[in-house]
Amino acid sequence: MEDLSPEQIVELANGYRSLARSLNEFQVSHWPDLTVEQHLDLNAYQSSLLNRAQDLQTLAVRPAFRDAAELIARIQQATTDAQDSLKRIRNLTIALNIGAITVALASYIARANLRGIQTALRELGDLLSMSEETT
């Protein structure tokens, strides 16, 4: 097991913040279409991602992985794809699920739960594929 390097920590934290921003932009652009509960969900996803970024950068969590560089690259690609998808997606349910799964992914990373990370990456990939079909 290897601890994440300071650069990897910064990259993950920046990815979380960018994803929170993308969720906010999605929320603003679909404001009238969202229910109060959906607004609250999106706010919670944004807050959770920002908190996870803070936890990483303050070293409140210290995840360690085998082949950390490869795993971090997969995570970064998935979060970048999620951000890109949120810019063009129209299906509110898929967008909300992307937010929920990215929050779960960040949680699994904080606990260094490799099985959870792999499951979240697979589910996120499935959602992103569905979002491509519905755009």
Side-chain angles (χ1 to χ4, degrees):
M1 297 288 225
E2 60 184 278
D3 285 339
L4 298 180
S5 71
E7 294 81 15
Q8 290 169 323
I9 289 171
V10 168
E11 290 170 5
L12 271 178
N14 286 341
Y16 293 167
R17 282 191 285 276
S18 293
L19 195 48
R21 188 179 314 93
S22 293
L23 286 167
N24 180 263
E25 290 167 358
F26 176 85
Q27 183 179 18
V28 168
S29 66
H30 294 86
W31 194 272
D33 304 323
L34 296 165
T35 66
V36 171
E37 291 80 12
Q38 290 169 325
H39 280 288
L40 293 173
D41 286 344
L42 285 166
N43 290 343
Y45 300 154
Q46 293 164 46
S47 178
S48 181
L49 288 167
L50 294 173
N51 287 336
R52 293 291 178 189
Q54 179 73 15
D55 289 347
L56 275 174
Q57 291 209 284
T58 60
L59 305 178
V61 296
R62 295 288 305 203
F65 303 98
R66 285 195 172 96
D67 300 321
E70 180 183 330
L71 182 62
I72 298 304
R74 287 180 52 213
I75 292 166
Q76 289 176 310
Q77 184 61 53
T79 56
T80 298
D81 292 346
Q83 290 173 47
D84 292 343
S85 178
L86 287 169
K87 291 177 184 173
R88 60 182 180 278
I89 196 169
R90 294 195 179 128
N91 186 312
L92 299 178
T93 303
I94 292 175
L96 287 163
N97 283 318
I98 288 171
I101 289 176
T102 55
V103 167
L105 177 61
S107 175
Y108 290 133
I109 293 166
R111 295 188 309 246
N113 181 333
L114 187 57
R115 182 170 290 164
I117 292 168
Q118 291 169 337
T119 300
L121 287 172
R122 184 176 56 251
E123 290 178 4
L124 185 56
D126 292 346
L127 273 175
L128 294 175
S129 293
M130 285 194 309
S131 74
E132 290 299 318
E133 295 169 6
T134 61
T135 15

